[in-house]
mmCIF file of all heavy atoms in Angstrom:
data_model
loop_
_atom_site.group_PDB
_atom_site.id
_atom_site.type_symbol
_atom_site.label_atom_id
_atom_site.label_comp_id
_atom_site.label_asym_id
_atom_site.label_seq_id
_atom_site.Cartn_x
_atom_site.Cartn_y
_atom_site.Cartn_z
ATOM 1 N N TYR A 4 -20.544 1.909 12.142
ATOM 2 C CA TYR A 4 -20.117 1.633 10.770
ATOM 3 C C TYR A 4 -18.653 2.041 10.637
ATOM 4 O O TYR A 4 -18.285 3.166 10.998
ATOM 5 C CB TYR A 4 -20.921 2.443 9.749
ATOM 6 C CG TYR A 4 -22.340 1.984 9.542
ATOM 7 C CD1 TYR A 4 -23.212 2.726 8.739
ATOM 8 C CD2 TYR A 4 -22.811 0.811 10.113
ATOM 9 C CE1 TYR A 4 -24.523 2.309 8.529
ATOM 10 C CE2 TYR A 4 -24.117 0.391 9.913
ATOM 11 C CZ TYR A 4 -24.963 1.142 9.135
ATOM 12 O OH TYR A 4 -26.258 0.733 8.937
ATOM 13 N N ASN A 7 -14.427 2.170 4.509
ATOM 14 C CA ASN A 7 -13.247 2.388 3.662
ATOM 15 C C ASN A 7 -13.746 3.028 2.358
ATOM 16 O O ASN A 7 -14.356 2.364 1.531
ATOM 17 C CB ASN A 7 -12.572 1.032 3.360
ATOM 18 C CG ASN A 7 -11.290 1.201 2.572
ATOM 19 O OD1 ASN A 7 -10.564 2.179 2.738
ATOM 20 N ND2 ASN A 7 -10.998 0.241 1.707
ATOM 21 N N TYR A 26 -7.693 -9.255 -8.394
ATOM 22 C CA TYR A 26 -6.593 -9.652 -7.520
ATOM 23 C C TYR A 26 -5.915 -8.448 -6.877
ATOM 24 O O TYR A 26 -4.931 -8.580 -6.186
ATOM 25 C CB TYR A 26 -5.581 -10.484 -8.314
ATOM 26 C CG TYR A 26 -6.185 -11.789 -8.739
ATOM 27 C CD1 TYR A 26 -6.764 -11.950 -9.983
ATOM 28 C CD2 TYR A 26 -6.242 -12.857 -7.835
ATOM 29 C CE1 TYR A 26 -7.368 -13.150 -10.348
ATOM 30 C CE2 TYR A 26 -6.844 -14.052 -8.185
ATOM 31 C CZ TYR A 26 -7.401 -14.187 -9.433
ATOM 32 O OH TYR A 26 -8.000 -15.368 -9.779
ATOM 33 N N MET A 40 -10.803 -4.291 18.406
ATOM 34 C CA MET A 40 -10.656 -3.631 19.717
ATOM 35 C C MET A 40 -11.994 -3.173 20.270
ATOM 36 O O MET A 40 -12.062 -2.606 21.358
ATOM 37 C CB MET A 40 -9.788 -2.375 19.556
ATOM 38 C CG MET A 40 -8.346 -2.649 19.219
ATOM 39 S SD MET A 40 -7.421 -1.098 19.236
ATOM 40 C CE MET A 40 -7.662 -0.481 17.605
ATOM 41 N N GLU A 44 -20.675 -4.734 23.040
ATOM 42 C CA GLU A 44 -21.975 -4.032 23.014
ATOM 43 C C GLU A 44 -22.178 -3.234 21.733
ATOM 44 O O GLU A 44 -23.260 -2.728 21.464
ATOM 45 C CB GLU A 44 -22.173 -3.122 24.242
ATOM 46 C CG GLU A 44 -21.178 -2.024 24.431
ATOM 47 C CD GLU A 44 -20.014 -2.440 25.333
ATOM 48 O OE1 GLU A 44 -19.717 -3.651 25.414
ATOM 49 O OE2 GLU A 44 -19.395 -1.547 25.951
ATOM 50 N N ILE A 95 -16.170 10.095 12.915
ATOM 51 C CA ILE A 95 -14.766 10.206 13.332
ATOM 52 C C ILE A 95 -13.886 9.653 12.216
ATOM 53 O O ILE A 95 -14.245 8.692 11.544
ATOM 54 C CB ILE A 95 -14.506 9.453 14.665
ATOM 55 C CG1 ILE A 95 -13.081 9.703 15.150
ATOM 56 C CG2 ILE A 95 -14.792 7.964 14.569
ATOM 57 C CD1 ILE A 95 -12.906 9.440 16.644
ATOM 58 N N LEU A 157 -15.432 -10.300 9.571
ATOM 59 C CA LEU A 157 -16.458 -9.292 9.319
ATOM 60 C C LEU A 157 -16.651 -8.896 7.850
ATOM 61 O O LEU A 157 -17.672 -8.328 7.506
ATOM 62 C CB LEU A 157 -16.163 -8.031 10.136
ATOM 63 C CG LEU A 157 -16.501 -8.117 11.629
ATOM 64 C CD1 LEU A 157 -16.151 -6.811 12.330
ATOM 65 C CD2 LEU A 157 -17.969 -8.453 11.844
ATOM 66 N N ALA A 163 -9.315 -11.803 -2.956
ATOM 67 C CA ALA A 163 -8.347 -12.837 -3.340
ATOM 68 C C ALA A 163 -7.361 -13.100 -2.205
ATOM 69 O O ALA A 163 -6.806 -14.188 -2.102
ATOM 70 C CB ALA A 163 -7.608 -12.401 -4.595
ATOM 71 N N ARG A 171 5.689 -2.891 12.649
ATOM 72 C CA ARG A 171 5.423 -1.501 12.237
ATOM 73 C C ARG A 171 6.709 -0.684 12.310
ATOM 74 O O ARG A 171 7.574 -0.968 13.119
ATOM 75 C CB ARG A 171 4.397 -0.850 13.174
ATOM 76 C CG ARG A 171 3.002 -1.334 12.957
ATOM 77 C CD ARG A 171 1.997 -0.555 13.795
ATOM 78 N NE ARG A 171 0.686 -1.149 13.684
ATOM 79 C CZ ARG A 171 -0.326 -0.886 14.462
ATOM 80 N NH1 ARG A 171 -0.196 0.006 15.443
ATOM 81 N NH2 ARG A 171 -1.504 -1.475 14.299
ATOM 82 N N VAL A 199 0.865 -15.826 14.741
ATOM 83 C CA VAL A 199 0.485 -17.183 14.307
ATOM 84 C C VAL A 199 -1.017 -17.387 14.540
ATOM 85 O O VAL A 199 -1.744 -17.884 13.674
ATOM 86 C CB VAL A 199 1.311 -18.256 15.045
ATOM 87 C CG1 VAL A 199 0.783 -19.646 14.770
ATOM 88 C CG2 VAL A 199 2.776 -18.144 14.632
ATOM 89 N N LEU A 217 9.113 -6.555 6.081
ATOM 90 C CA LEU A 217 8.815 -7.762 6.856
ATOM 91 C C LEU A 217 10.005 -8.267 7.656
ATOM 92 O O LEU A 217 9.827 -8.854 8.726
ATOM 93 C CB LEU A 217 8.337 -8.837 5.873
ATOM 94 C CG LEU A 217 8.036 -10.209 6.443
ATOM 95 C CD1 LEU A 217 6.951 -10.135 7.489
ATOM 96 C CD2 LEU A 217 7.609 -11.141 5.325
ATOM 97 N N GLY A 266 5.645 -20.338 3.577
ATOM 98 C CA GLY A 266 4.570 -19.999 2.634
ATOM 99 C C GLY A 266 4.825 -18.752 1.805
ATOM 100 O O GLY A 266 3.949 -18.344 1.033
ATOM 101 N N GLN A 305 14.616 -15.647 -6.005
ATOM 102 C CA GLN A 305 13.776 -16.458 -6.906
ATOM 103 C C GLN A 305 14.115 -17.946 -6.832
ATOM 104 O O GLN A 305 13.250 -18.786 -7.054
ATOM 105 C CB GLN A 305 13.918 -15.955 -8.337
ATOM 106 C CG GLN A 305 13.263 -14.578 -8.535
ATOM 107 C CD GLN A 305 13.579 -13.975 -9.881
ATOM 108 O OE1 GLN A 305 14.642 -14.236 -10.439
ATOM 109 N NE2 GLN A 305 12.688 -13.136 -10.389
ATOM 110 N N GLY A 318 10.119 10.509 -12.580
ATOM 111 C CA GLY A 318 9.901 11.939 -12.323
ATOM 112 C C GLY A 318 10.933 12.536 -11.383
ATOM 113 O O GLY A 318 10.786 13.681 -10.925
ATOM 114 N N MET A 359 8.956 20.004 -2.283
ATOM 115 C CA MET A 359 8.220 20.426 -3.489
ATOM 116 C C MET A 359 7.305 21.605 -3.175
ATOM 117 O O MET A 359 7.110 22.487 -4.013
ATOM 118 C CB MET A 359 7.404 19.263 -4.057
ATOM 119 C CG MET A 359 8.260 18.283 -4.844
ATOM 120 S SD MET A 359 7.219 17.163 -5.787
ATOM 121 C CE MET A 359 8.365 16.638 -7.071
ATOM 122 N N SER A 428 2.277 -15.593 -11.997
ATOM 123 C CA SER A 428 3.059 -14.611 -12.726
ATOM 124 C C SER A 428 2.301 -14.127 -13.955
ATOM 125 O O SER A 428 2.237 -12.936 -14.250
ATOM 126 C CB SER A 428 4.390 -15.248 -13.129
ATOM 127 O OG SER A 428 5.001 -14.491 -14.114
ATOM 128 N N VAL A 430 -0.992 -14.128 -14.462
ATOM 129 C CA VAL A 430 -2.134 -13.288 -14.068
ATOM 130 C C VAL A 430 -1.638 -11.879 -13.720
ATOM 131 O O VAL A 430 -2.201 -10.872 -14.163
ATOM 132 C CB VAL A 430 -2.893 -13.921 -12.870
ATOM 133 C CG1 VAL A 430 -3.860 -12.917 -12.250
ATOM 134 C CG2 VAL A 430 -3.626 -15.169 -13.300
ATOM 135 N N GLY A 431 -0.561 -11.813 -12.952
ATOM 136 C CA GLY A 431 -0.019 -10.506 -12.564
ATOM 137 C C GLY A 431 0.377 -9.691 -13.789
ATOM 138 O O GLY A 431 0.009 -8.531 -13.937
ATOM 139 N N ARG A 440 -3.909 0.135 -21.365
ATOM 140 C CA ARG A 440 -4.930 0.812 -22.188
ATOM 141 C C ARG A 440 -5.846 1.659 -21.310
ATOM 142 O O ARG A 440 -6.162 2.800 -21.623
ATOM 143 C CB ARG A 440 -5.734 -0.219 -22.967
ATOM 144 C CG ARG A 440 -5.847 0.170 -24.426
ATOM 145 C CD ARG A 440 -6.527 -0.882 -25.299
ATOM 146 N NE ARG A 440 -6.184 -2.264 -24.953
ATOM 147 C CZ ARG A 440 -7.089 -3.191 -24.628
ATOM 148 N NH1 ARG A 440 -8.361 -2.901 -24.568
ATOM 149 N NH2 ARG A 440 -6.712 -4.415 -24.369
#
Side-chain angles (χ1 to χ4, degrees):
Y4 287 174
N7 184 34
Y26 294 95
M40 292 186 274
E44 60 267 26
I95 186 159
L157 284 180
R171 286 187 187 166
V199 171
L217 177 60
Q305 290 171 330
M359 282 193 157
S428 164
V430 167
R440 228 174 322 123

